[in-house]
Amino acid sequence: MTVLVTGTFDGLHPGHEDLFRQAKALGDRLVVVVARDKTVQAVKHRMPRMGEVARLQAVAAHPLVDLAVLGKEGDKLQVITEIDPDILLLGYDQAVFTDALEERLAARGIAPRVLRAEPFQPERYKSSLLYESGENG
C-alpha cells in the first residue's frame, strides 16, 4: 500500500520525521513529494532557505522514505495522479491545495483515502516557527 505526503521540507525536523512515521505506519511504501521552489515562493511569499534539489536529497536520504520526487510546476495534482497512492496523508495544518481534494482527484480517476496526520509538538516543531527563529524548518 502506497502512502503519499507532500510538503516543503525546508530542513527536516522532528515534526517532519513524525509525519513520515505516521505515513509509514499506514502502508509499506512512503512516497514524499517535495514542493518546487517556485511553488514555495507563490504559497509562502518567500523562497525556501534550501533549494529544491537539496530538500529533495535530504528527504530521499531519510530511512523511512522509499521514494522522493519533486512536485510539478503548474498542475499541482499531476504528480499525485501519476503516483496514484492508496492513501494521501495531509499534514495536520496543511491547507494549500486541499480544497475539495478528494473530488478533484476522483475527477482524474483516482480515489486515495485522504487522511490528516496528528500534530507532533506543533508549539515547538511547526516549520513557520522554526523558520522565523532561524532554526531548521
Side-chain angles (χ1 to χ4, degrees), residues 7-10 34-52 55 72-74 76 96-97 131:
T8 303
F9 307 107
D10 195 13
V34 176
R36 303 299 298 250
D37 289 344
K38 288 182 181 180
T39 302
V40 176
Q41 174 67 44
V43 170
K44 298 185 179 186
H45 309 291
R46 64 170 171 78
M47 288 298 287
R49 290 179 297 171
M50 297 171 61
E52 60 192 31
R55 292 182 290 113
K72 303 288 184 184
E73 291 185 17
K76 305 299 181 259
V96 178
F97 309 119
Y131 187 87

Side-chain angles (χ1 to χ4, degrees), residues 13-66:
H13 57 69
H16 293 137
E17 292 178 10
D18 187 70
L19 175 64
F20 296 163
R21 278 192 294 277
Q22 288 183 53
K24 193 70 172 194
L26 295 170
D28 54 7
R29 181 172 182 249
L30 173 57
V31 178
V32 179
V33 177
V34 176
R36 303 299 298 250
D37 289 344
K38 288 182 181 180
T39 302
V40 176
Q41 174 67 44
V43 170
K44 298 185 179 186
H45 309 291
R46 64 170 171 78
M47 288 298 287
R49 290 179 297 171
M50 297 171 61
E52 60 192 31
V53 172
R55 292 182 290 113
L56 177 67
Q57 290 171 339
V59 169
H62 194 282
L64 292 177
V65 175
D66 296 296

Side-chain angles (χ1 to χ4, degrees), residues 61-84:
H62 194 282
L64 292 177
V65 175
D66 296 296
L67 176 65
V69 299
L70 285 174
K72 303 288 184 184
E73 291 185 17
D75 182 358
K76 305 299 181 259
L77 300 181
Q78 180 183 347
V79 69
I80 298 170
T81 304
E82 290 172 2
I83 294 167
D84 191 11

Side-chain angles (χ1 to χ4, degrees), residues 94-110:
Q94 190 169 357
V96 178
F97 309 119
T98 62
D99 293 336
L101 183 58
E102 289 176 275
E103 294 83 1
R104 291 172 32 221
L105 292 173
R108 293 167 178 249
I110 67 170

